[in-house]
Amino acid sequence: MTRTSSMPAPRPDRALLRAPNVEPALLQGLHEFIARRNAADALLPGRPLVEIATTRAQVALAAQLMAQAFVHNHDKGWLAWLPPSEVARIRAGDTVRAQEKIARVIGYLCAASMFEGGLVLLESAQTPDGRTVRGASLWRLPAAVHRREPWWHLFAFGVPAALRSYGLRRAIAAAGAADALVRAARESMDRLGFPVRGIHAEMGCVRPAHQGQRVSRRMFEPFRMLADRFDLVYRLESSSPETNDQRVFSNFRFEKIGEHRFGASRFNSVGPYTINLMVRKPQPSAKSCP
């Protein structure tokens, strides 16, 4: 890891994000469950804290953290569309450029999702060096106002990020792969009769040094309680099924409903890999306390 792990100082008001475009009742419930989670953890060492990102600096930090973790874990879903030379550098231990490339794309995806019900969650704890962010995640909830990412945002930020990180041909291949995954998830949901409206855990990570410290649980728990209260399906795509499905997601009662396989291609630098499609059914009778 080469980036600082400390929370950056707040920037001026112009760097604040807009309020999340999330249904008001859901957003209120999420704030309530996050507050409960934080109150329950207030006396633990380091005073763990979960919060919704409110500044662009926090979103940028979340993108850096996720990129670092995905590169460190050799996540095939993220490494696939980098040039082979970059993947070779990662395997040799040189990860700086790859982290920068992937963080650039994740930062754009976080920004784009906020038009459509997205928000970024951070988990942090107090350390001798200050409050350190240990986990970050991107979520999508039912939007208060139904709208798509504006075309100007895609061309001003999305296209440049993809071109700088992947190059033209690999950017096109990566976009096609992302679209194929979305279609596969929707087809699996439709086939099993799950509603479109629900909670989507788009991506998330825990710094390797902090795995086993319940960081994932703190980030997932408020959404689990929200799903149970509002009778919502809670879904995700697991890009590291060999390490996460049983160790993490099964503990949260996620079930595999399908999978999507990416085959070998001239633009796929890691070879065939599989992403598991997973769903947690709402359990309204479950207890809604941390």
Side-chain angles (χ1 to χ4, degrees):
M1 298 293 179
T2 60
R3 303 282 186 182
T4 178
S5 61
S6 298
M7 185 81 79
R11 292 186 178 184
D13 288 347
R14 61 184 172 84
L16 293 176
L17 300 172
R18 294 181 180 180
N21 180 24
V22 174
E23 290 182 5
L26 294 178
L27 189 58
Q28 180 179 347
L30 181 60
H31 280 296
E32 174 188 332
F33 291 132
I34 289 175
R36 288 193 195 183
R37 178 76 270 167
N38 290 339
D41 293 340
L43 298 180
L44 294 179
R47 300 194 305 280
L49 184 71
V50 172
E51 61 184 318
I52 298 172
T54 58
T55 69
R56 300 187 189 283
Q58 288 179 315
V59 172
L61 178 62
Q64 292 171 5
L65 191 154
M66 286 191 273
Q68 290 169 358
F70 295 149
V71 172
H72 179 273
N73 295 331
H74 290 197
D75 189 302
K76 291 183 178 180
W78 282 102
L79 270 55
W81 314 110
L82 294 173
S85 59
E86 202 65 71
V87 175
R89 285 192 186 92
I90 294 170
R91 290 171 177 160
D94 181 1
T95 63
V96 174
R97 288 199 350 175
Q99 290 175 10
E100 292 175 349
K101 289 176 182 289
I102 292 175
R104 185 182 298 125
V105 174
I106 293 176
Y108 158 71
L109 292 175
C110 289
S113 75
M114 292 178 185
F115 290 101
E116 306 174 17
L119 58 82
V120 171
L121 205 69
L122 303 171
E123 195 273 2
S124 63
Q126 193 66 31
T127 71
D129 296 324
R131 180 153 288 272
T132 297
V133 176
R134 306 186 297 182
S137 47
L138 173 63
W139 304 81
R140 193 185 300 261
L141 290 84
V145 178
H146 294 282
R147 57 177 175 171
R148 300 292 298 265
E149 176 194 10
W151 65 266
W152 60 263
H153 190 270
L154 171 63
F155 284 97
F157 300 102
V159 172
L163 292 178
R164 289 182 64 194
S165 295
Y166 300 136
L168 177 59
R169 293 183 178 181
R170 291 183 182 280
I172 293 172
D179 289 342
L181 178 58
V182 170
R183 288 195 301 271
R186 287 177 177 171
E187 289 170 2
S188 294
M189 297 284 285
D190 290 344
R191 186 182 70 253
L192 296 172
F194 289 114
V196 173
R197 183 175 179 274
I199 296 172
H200 184 197
E202 295 206 350
M203 67 181 85
C205 72
V206 177
R207 288 183 186 275
H210 299 292
Q211 290 179 353
Q213 298 177 17
R214 299 173 65 87
V215 176
S216 288
R217 181 170 294 278
R218 290 189 180 94
M219 290 191 293
F220 273 79
E221 190 78 0
F223 295 93
R224 189 272 297 172
M225 294 188 287
L226 193 69
D228 290 344
R229 172 182 286 186
F230 290 92
D231 197 27
L232 296 174
V233 171
Y234 184 172
R235 69 183 180 91
L236 58 83
E237 291 82 43
S238 172
S239 59
S240 296
E242 65 282 354
T243 59
N244 287 335
D245 288 9
Q246 293 301 317
R247 184 174 60 85
V248 179
F249 301 138
S250 65
N251 292 332
F252 300 136
R253 299 187 179 180
F254 279 91
E255 303 173 8
K256 180 179 174 180
I257 62 168
E259 62 183 32
H260 185 60
R261 297 182 180 182
F262 291 94
S265 79
R266 60 183 296 193
F267 300 118
N268 177 350
S269 299
V270 300
Y273 65 96
T274 299
I275 290 183
N276 283 350
L277 312 175
M278 308 190 74
V279 158
R280 181 187 181 276
K281 300 174 185 176
Q283 301 170 47
S285 62
K287 295 180 179 179
S288 58
C289 58

